[in-house]
Structures are given as structure tokens and as C-alpha cells.
Amino acid sequence: MYKVNEVFETIQGEGSFTGAPAIFIRLQGCPVGCSWCDTKHTWEIKDELRQPLGDIVIKTAETEHWAGVSAEDLIALFVREGYQAKHVVITGGEPCMYDLIPLCDALHNKGYSTQIETSGTFDIKAPAQTWVTVSPKVNMAGGYKVLQSALDRANEIKHPVAMQKHVEELLQLLQHTDTAAKLIYLQPISQQRRATELAIAMCKKHNWRLSVQVHKYLGIS
């Protein structure tokens, strides 16, 4: 059973899939504790806030409510809602708190591609064909460490930055990681001007890429 906070169809706004139509599955639960997190309503799993999946889909505001569902329930929902996107992004919360192999396998069998967005602080249980985006969260309040196994598994590493120390953290993380086949992105925290200018400068210096949250500029989910 997967604890789902939201399901919606939109355009992927970050990283290498920017601009691609996508179905987002937002899972409930995250102990990492990022201070700038924009989905703090997904952190806690409260049994009294469990709802039917139908109520989750028609949410009009961010809430801590969640639904317990199977992979088959989600695929049936996609059909019922008439979603056309064939790319599915599993996010959170921290999705790697869950074993995502059954969900991803079920989606692949129905012709969907899958992507996971994770902090890199939990073991990644996903099929080989799933695209893994690791956004490493370093020295957060929850005390979790970024796992080398998560960095090794990543197809892209998308690091949030606001100041130079965040760049130094990324360089340290990458010391023991083979990045030859990986895409490395810097993403300015909260679209701040100084953070954006820093990210651009560091992308040019290290031959990395810039990821801006396009969906926030467009004002969409």
C-alpha cells in the first residue's frame, strides 16, 4: 500500500524532463526536515487524516490528508481521470521510504515511463529503467545522511543552492561519485536572485546545468 497525498497531471518543471507532460504521484511521509521545503504538509502520516483516493484527487488546497492505495488503484485512477501523459513522477515527501519496485513495474507494464525525485537519504528500491533524480539534502534537521548508493544510482543530481557552501557540499558529495553518465543540475532555492546568479556562475565554472522551477514561474502545480 502506498500512502498518497496528491495525484495530478501537469508539466514537469524541473531537471532533464522540464516541459514534459507528467502525472505526479506525491507520497506522504518525510523525516528529512528541509527548512525551505514547499511541501511540509507531506511530512507526517496521521492515521486520522486518511481519506478515500477520490477525495485526494479533488483536493483544492494542500492538506495532510492521504489515501492508502495500490499500484492498480492508481492506474485505474489515471484511466478514470482521462490523463494523457505517459510519464509518471513519484515524489513526496520522501518517496524512497517506500519500496517502489511494484509500483514502477506496474506502470511500465502499462506503457508509462517513471521518474523518482528523492533526497538520497533512503535506499532506492526501483527498477533499472526508472529515471532517478537525487536532490541531495545535506545537514538537514532530521539528521539523515545522503547515501553514496543513492548518488551512484542517480541518473541526474539536482542540488538546491542559495549560497556558496551549498556548492561546496555538492563538490564534496561528488568526490566519490562517477559523474560521467550523470546530469548535474544546480537549482536556486526559492528562485532567489542571488541564488540564481550563484547557480549560473557555478554552472559555467563546473560545466553543470541550471534547473529553474518552471512551474512556479508559470503559476501551475
Side-chain angles (χ1 to χ4, degrees):
M1 183 186 73
Y2 297 98
K3 296 178 174 64
V4 175
N5 178 278
E6 284 186 284
V7 181
F8 56 95
E9 187 178 43
T10 186
I11 298 293
Q12 171 61 289
E14 304 176 6
S16 61
F17 283 95
T18 294
I23 302 167
F24 275 70
I25 300 171
R26 186 179 304 284
L27 299 179
Q28 189 77 13
C30 182
V32 179
C34 304
S35 60
W36 65 81
C37 177
D38 56 4
T39 57
K40 290 183 179 181
H41 60 286
T42 65
W43 286 9
E44 295 188 50
I45 300 172
K46 300 176 181 178
D47 290 340
E48 66 272 19
L49 295 181
R50 181 172 180 171
Q51 288 186 332
L53 181 57
D55 291 345
I56 295 300
V57 174
I58 61 173
K59 276 186 180 184
T60 57
E62 295 177 347
T63 75
E64 296 180 88
H65 292 87
W66 57 274
V69 299
S70 66
E72 291 71 25
D73 293 331
L74 287 166
I75 293 169
L77 173 70
F78 297 172
V79 174
R80 190 163 63 248
E81 293 294 315
Y83 294 156
Q84 297 299 304
K86 301 302 288 183
H87 183 63
V88 178
V89 181
I90 305 167
T91 187
E94 173 45 69
C96 290
M97 291 173 61
Y98 299 84
D99 180 355
L100 298 173
I101 294 174
L103 175 56
C104 292
D105 279 345
L107 290 166
H108 295 160
N109 289 338
K110 292 296 184 179
Y112 295 94
S113 59
T114 58
Q115 177 184 2
I116 295 168
E117 297 180 336
T118 175
S119 65
T121 57
F122 284 78
D123 288 326
I124 299 170
K125 299 175 183 177
Q129 62 266 49
T130 295
W131 183 270
V132 174
T133 301
V134 172
S135 183
K137 302 304 190 295
V138 182
N139 296 326
M140 295 297 115
Y144 286 79
K145 302 295 184 183
V146 176
L147 303 180
Q148 185 62 48
S149 62
L151 295 173
D152 292 340
R153 174 62 181 85
N155 298 100
E156 64 180 8
I157 296 172
K158 179 165 58 65
H159 193 57
V161 294
M163 56 189 73
Q164 184 63 35
K165 77 168 186 176
H166 298 140
V167 178
E168 300 304 322
E169 289 169 352
L170 177 59
L171 289 168
Q172 186 172 4
L173 286 173
L174 296 180
Q175 282 183 350
H176 304 292
T177 305
D178 182 0
T179 61
K182 301 183 191 302
L183 301 177
I184 310 297
Y185 288 88
L186 293 183
Q187 183 163 291
I189 292 174
S190 301
Q191 318 289 64
Q192 298 170 7
R193 181 172 179 176
R194 287 176 58 191
T196 302
E197 291 172 349
L198 171 65
I200 291 171
M202 292 299 100
C203 284
K204 290 191 290 187
K205 179 178 180 179
H206 297 286
N207 201 28
W208 294 334
R209 300 185 179 199
L210 181 71
S211 173
V212 296
Q213 295 177 298
V214 172
H215 55 290
K216 292 189 176 179
Y217 283 108
L218 296 175
I220 62 175
S221 297

